Amino acid sequence: MNLYQRYSLPHLILRRSAVVAIGVLALPFMLFYRDRSRFYSYLHRCWCKTSTQPVWLAQTEAAGIDFY
């Protein structure tokens, strides 16, 4: 039984193109903002999310493969 639903390819393409568009549009404002790393870290999490599974859990499971 699969606990998490994987996003479809059109959903991923739409999500990632939105992340790129928001990142490019926000760049002029983020150049002068102190906490821009938090904003771009959030965009990176949105980029990496490919299912309903939390990003931190997916990354933890992927890192576990390297050790076993």
Side-chain angles (χ1 to χ4, degrees):
M1 185 170 106
N2 194 0
L3 295 176
Y4 305 106
Q5 178 184 0
R6 294 193 60 82
Y7 295 145
S8 64
L9 184 61
H11 187 265
L12 284 176
I13 291 171
L14 182 65
R15 180 184 198 96
R16 290 184 175 183
S17 58
V19 166
V20 170
I22 291 169
V24 169
L25 290 174
L27 182 63
F29 304 104
M30 288 293 137
L31 288 175
F32 304 107
Y33 188 58
R34 276 185 89 121
D35 206 17
R36 65 181 166 263
S37 61
R38 183 183 306 179
F39 176 72
Y40 284 109
S41 176
Y42 175 75
L43 287 181
H44 182 260
R45 275 186 293 165
C46 290
W47 178 273
C48 292
K49 192 163 178 72
T50 58
S51 68
T52 55
Q53 182 179 22
V55 173
W56 64 269
L57 184 59
Q59 290 176 345
T60 303
E61 289 177 352
I65 293 170
D66 295 336
F67 294 115
Y68 296 111

